[in-house]
Amino acid sequence: VNTGVSSLKIEGRLKSPEYVAAVTGIYRKALDKIAHREKPFYTKEDMDTLTLSFCRSHFTLGYLQGKLPSKDITLDFPGRTGIPAGQVRALPRRKKGPVPLFELPVQLDRKLENGHGIGFGSSNGGVINSIRDNILTVAGNMPKVTLGTVIYQTYSKKLSRCVRATYENGAENRKTAIAGHFTAKAGEK
């Protein structure tokens, strides 16, 4: 803002529409707050939304301060890491069901709900089917975890629904009239 930049290109290649809507919405809100000299111009909830939309566990300044830090590129895990939510208390156990299921005793530091996605850094995660007495029943392939492995919340159905509503209601789908001319001739490119 202080440099006079009037346009931003927000990276969104191969990302979901929800990611693009969440990121552009938070940038819009922050820029409006900056313009009105409101502080803070972002909240913890904004950062959580960005993290759940797509984040590899941290935010970066990229090349703005010189060399790109090595933690900004990983060969171990291409997807989102999410928000730390707790730790594994005991090893997972397979559970019978129509889809791959496992039970996982946990110690949670963050409220998780049915339908939330969870992950374990570079190991597979899944979707929470139920939570009872600090035991998660998760739809997904059994992860390779040890005692103390950090559990990350990677998805929120409620957040996804709220973000999707911002572009499905048509308010952001503005149409701009254009004029043009096209000529085609048979047998010519």
Side-chain angles (χ1 to χ4, degrees):
V1 171
N2 292 336
T3 64
V5 171
S6 60
S7 177
L8 294 172
K9 193 291 187 189
I10 300 172
E11 190 274 333
R13 181 178 50 86
L14 301 177
K15 301 296 189 294
S16 69
E18 292 83 4
Y19 165 86
V20 175
V23 172
T24 56
I26 288 171
Y27 269 66
R28 174 77 275 152
K29 185 170 84 173
L31 289 168
D32 290 346
K33 284 186 172 189
I34 291 168
H36 292 98
R37 301 192 188 312
E38 293 177 33
K39 287 187 178 179
F41 58 88
Y42 67 91
T43 64
K44 181 185 180 318
E45 290 77 24
D46 294 335
M47 296 305 283
D48 285 353
T49 296
L50 291 173
T51 301
L52 286 175
S53 296
F54 193 94
C55 178
R56 292 184 176 95
S57 80
H58 66 282
F59 293 97
T60 176
L61 295 174
Y63 290 101
L64 289 176
Q65 294 180 328
K67 187 178 176 197
L68 185 69
S70 60
K71 72 177 184 172
D72 289 339
I73 297 176
T74 175
L75 298 176
D76 298 329
F77 191 65
R80 69 179 99 191
T81 303
I83 300 171
Q87 294 182 335
V88 172
R89 248 188 11 195
L91 296 180
R93 297 180 301 272
R94 278 192 210 290
K95 207 172 169 190
K96 291 187 180 188
V99 297
L101 292 170
F102 62 90
E103 285 186 337
L104 182 66
V106 296
Q107 176 63 51
L108 294 177
D109 303 322
R110 176 181 179 81
K111 186 175 189 269
L112 295 177
E113 300 173 357
N114 292 353
H116 279 173
I118 61 167
F120 307 94
S122 61
S123 185
N124 289 337
V127 177
I128 297 173
N129 246 1
S130 69
I131 303 172
R132 188 175 43 81
D133 299 327
N134 284 326
I135 297 176
L136 305 179
T137 300
V138 181
N141 293 318
M142 207 145 80
K144 295 176 183 173
V145 295
T146 59
L147 298 182
T149 296
V150 176
I151 300 164
Y152 295 90
Q153 180 185 353
T154 59
Y155 175 80
S156 166
K157 187 184 281 188
K158 180 181 174 183
L159 173 63
S160 185
R161 194 172 30 248
C162 289
V163 170
R164 198 175 311 114
T166 66
Y167 62 85
E168 285 183 343
N169 66 13
E172 293 296 324
N173 300 327
R174 296 180 297 272
K175 294 184 179 179
T176 303
I178 61 168
H181 178 78
F182 175 78
T183 302
K185 293 183 181 178
E188 292 184 11
K189 290 184 178 180

